[in-house]
Amino acid sequence: IDISIELFPPKTAEGTQRLFEKVEELRKWNPAFFSMTYGAGGSTSRTTLELVDQLKNKVGIETMCHLTVSGQTKKQTFSILDRLRAMGVYNLIALRGDAPKESVVLEDGQSFKFARELVLEAKKRNYFSIAVAGFPEMHPDSKSQDDDIRYLKEKVDAGADVIITQLFFDNNYFYRYVDLVHKAGIKVPVIPGLLPILSVKQVRRFTALCKSKIPPAVEAKLSKYESDDDAARAYGIELTTQQCRD
């Protein structure tokens, strides 16, 4: 199985050091690439770009950069695309992103509102390999599954090369989603996004943020490990392994 590994920008120098130590450990599994997330409203923009540059050009591993448009001007987005190209980073996942915690007032036309607009802009540069997000359990802002698939098709028609899904803990969601994607005439690959459970607190926070469901069978297990992170982590490894093998 080919895998990629998603990383989050640390908030401290010590965290950054640990990140690179972990990356060296994970390299032995020969992931296809690592990806670095991008905080709401560009809140980690500088850190994300610095880490992507180091991973790509100093550590020497293939790296994908997350890029969101929410809370940022078009000028800022153009600048980041230009900087990524200058760094030799061509793998990009184009996202709308969450609104920043602190209110950012931008006039109409000053910023992009949708991921498909970022896809179009990146595609113009004739350089990037562009991924977009897919939602097996439907995006929280979509009114229906049909609308959700229509928005996905707009992103692919704009030039996306691959779809990477939001996390899920029941593979049936993924299989149904792929069927809907194919029926809509979308032909690019759909890559499942899996989250290994590290603690009960972690998985509850992540699923609340992205509005993903915890299936009853998984919830029953988690309820036993509320205060036992080691047991939760062991179960998380078992569950993710089962999802990969299915």
Side-chain angles (χ1 to χ4, degrees), residues 20 26 47 99 126 132-135 147 175:
F20 283 104
L26 293 167
T47 304
N126 197 30
V132 293
F135 300 87
D147 278 350
Y175 298 140

Side-chain angles (χ1 to χ4, degrees), residues 53 56-57 62-63 83-91 127:
D53 190 12
K56 172 76 174 182
N57 297 309
E62 193 53 58
T63 308
R83 184 175 172 188
L84 288 172
R85 180 164 186 167
M87 292 189 304
V89 175
Y90 56 84
N91 281 312
Y127 175 75

Side-chain angles (χ1 to χ4, degrees), residues 197-241:
I197 295 170
L198 300 179
S199 70
V200 176
K201 181 179 179 181
Q202 169 237 21
V203 72
R204 295 207 194 288
R205 179 167 62 86
F206 270 71
T207 52
L209 284 171
C210 63
K211 304 296 190 293
S212 294
K213 298 180 181 68
I214 299 177
V218 176
E219 179 59 49
K221 288 281 189 179
L222 293 179
S223 65
K224 301 177 182 179
Y225 308 136
E226 294 282 356
S227 57
D228 190 342
D229 288 352
D230 289 338
R233 186 179 298 110
Y235 170 64
I237 293 170
E238 177 187 348
L239 176 61
T240 302
T241 301

Side-chain angles (χ1 to χ4, degrees), residues 84-108:
L84 288 172
R85 180 164 186 167
M87 292 189 304
V89 175
Y90 56 84
N91 281 312
L92 173 74
I93 180 163
L95 306 162
R96 184 196 69 179
D98 299 322
K101 292 180 180 179
E102 295 182 3
S103 179
V104 176
V105 179
L106 297 172
E107 296 179 4
D108 286 344

Side-chain angles (χ1 to χ4, degrees), residues 44-70:
T44 68
S45 174
R46 180 177 178 180
T47 304
T48 292
L49 293 174
E50 289 175 351
L51 291 171
V52 166
D53 190 12
Q54 291 181 58
L55 289 168
K56 172 76 174 182
N57 297 309
K58 292 185 179 180
V59 180
I61 56 177
E62 193 53 58
T63 308
M64 170 184 281
C65 185
H66 291 226
L67 179 56
T68 67
V69 297
S70 179

